[in-house]
Amino acid sequence: MNATVASTRRVARVLRGMPTSDGAGVRLTRVIGTPQLDLLDPFLMLDEFGTDRPEDYIAGFPSHPHRGFETVTYMLDGRMRHKDNHGNEGVLVPGSVQWMTAGRGIVHSEMPEQEEGRMRGFQLWINLPAKDKMSAPRYQEYAPERIPSVEPTTGVRAKVIAGRVGEVQGPIEQPATDPTYLDLSIDAGARFVQALPPAHSAFLYVYEGALRVGAGAQAATVNAQELAVLEAGDSVLLEGRDPSSRAILVAGRPLREPVARYGPFVMNTREEIMQAMADYQAGRF
Ligand code: FE2
């Protein structure tokens, strides 16, 4: 292996999520944060929610805490109202993103702002380094029209939430993990090459259609509702296999720190988890 030669990332493994429920009984598919893929440093959890049945989402996520990491909610369909104990409130609409840095702690609710129709999107949890875990909470929230959309090549459209496609930079700032988060739409036969920092952890989650990932004999097909964990490399090559395929491509710098997690608290040590629980109980969030 010559590390200086440009390398296209190969698929390390392909897996499907597992059905679960969270909040007050919202049905969703957990893709990262399961026994088969506990952690893809710095990514702690990935949930896909997608349903036309109100009974699957109507109970929402009533008041609950977070400390020590970031939650990223990307809506495809439906509307979700969030409200926290610091006075922040808003409605996420289709195509919007909320990148919430929980830092030292917030208590919030995430409730559907609709009683019927389709609800679809993703929530991703991204870890924070020890030095930022107790930082002040922060929101980076963008309406759909503020997320740049580009057509890097014919038949390929990319919404750039974080990171860059060519010269187009997404709005999210997070120096600790330097994330890439793209929502891709790729027509059959269209090819797309995305540069990624070589050492960043990266995954592709296909949510419609199918994509071929990688080059030549090493390529693998990833179907809808499958997650491909990517090996190291400085780019990823994707090719559409269905009339229209959609996927999120996500990458970030691994933190390589100890992870102590208990539900909505993600710290470095067990003592810090105990402290988080005590602080939450005492109303110090
Ligand atoms: Fe939450």
Side-chain angles (χ1 to χ4, degrees):
M1 284 277 290
N2 182 339
T4 62
V5 172
S7 58
T8 299
R9 286 175 180 248
R10 293 194 223 166
V11 172
R13 59 188 288 210
V14 174
L15 55 95
R16 298 182 76 88
M18 51 187 282
T20 186
S21 78
D22 208 339
V26 177
R27 293 167 66 93
L28 45 81
T29 302
R30 185 147 297 159
V31 190
I32 299 174
T34 65
Q36 54 176 345
L37 184 59
D38 179 45
L39 171 76
L40 182 64
D41 184 16
F43 306 110
L44 300 158
M45 196 190 84
L46 175 67
D47 284 345
E48 179 186 30
F49 46 94
T51 177
D52 299 322
R53 294 158 30 108
E55 61 267 36
D56 288 347
Y57 62 74
I58 204 74
F61 302 87
S63 188
H64 61 277
H66 293 285
R67 173 181 279 185
F69 61 102
E70 303 189 295
T71 68
V72 176
T73 307
Y74 178 48
M75 296 297 289
L76 294 168
D77 295 298
R79 296 158 61 85
M80 188 87 93
R81 177 175 295 272
H82 74 94
K83 201 172 186 175
D84 76 12
N85 64 328
H86 296 273
N88 301 298
E89 183 170 358
V91 175
L92 297 175
V93 301
S96 63
V97 65
Q98 181 197 66
W99 198 288
M100 184 186 82
T101 307
R104 65 177 168 253
I106 61 109
V107 181
H108 76 162
S109 60
E110 300 158 283
M111 301 298 289
E113 185 81 352
Q114 64 190 40
E115 289 174 356
E116 55 184 24
R118 192 179 216 192
M119 179 74 80
R120 188 165 73 139
F122 298 98
Q123 188 168 90
L124 176 68
W125 289 11
I126 308 179
N127 209 356
L128 287 169
K131 69 176 179 59
D132 295 338
K133 282 187 179 292
M134 296 297 278
S135 61
R138 177 190 182 201
Y139 287 88
Q140 299 182 75
E141 200 165 308
Y142 292 96
E145 61 274 16
R146 294 185 60 201
I147 298 172
S149 191
V150 290
E151 192 173 342
T153 181
T154 305
V156 177
R157 290 158 302 283
K159 290 183 186 174
V160 190
I161 295 167
R164 60 166 58 230
V165 174
E167 295 304 304
V168 177
Q169 180 80 45
I172 299 298
E173 292 170 14
Q174 178 43 276
T177 45
D178 187 23
T180 298
Y181 192 137
L182 310 179
D183 179 12
L184 302 170
S185 174
I186 302 181
D187 294 346
R191 289 179 141 215
F192 174 56
V193 177
Q194 171 65 31
L196 291 174
H200 280 196
S201 298
F203 67 83
L204 178 83
Y205 184 77
V206 177
Y207 63 93
E208 284 178 20
L211 292 172
R212 192 102 175 124
V213 184
Q218 309 289 354
T221 298
V222 184
N223 297 301
Q225 276 66 57
E226 288 180 346
L227 177 98
V229 177
L230 304 178
E231 289 184 359
D234 57 18
S235 67
V236 58
L237 167 62
L238 306 175
E239 185 182 326
R241 280 295 160 128
D242 245 37
S244 175
S245 300
R246 297 190 68 184
I248 53 171
L249 176 64
V250 178
R253 181 187 298 121
L255 298 174
R256 305 187 199 288
E257 291 181 359
V259 175
R261 63 198 282 179
Y262 182 79
F265 310 125
V266 184
M267 305 300 290
N268 298 105
T269 67
R270 190 180 136 75
E271 290 65 34
E272 290 165 349
I273 292 291
M274 303 300 278
Q275 187 64 52
M277 291 166 75
D279 287 350
Y280 173 54
Q281 306 277 330
R284 288 191 289 261
F285 273 31

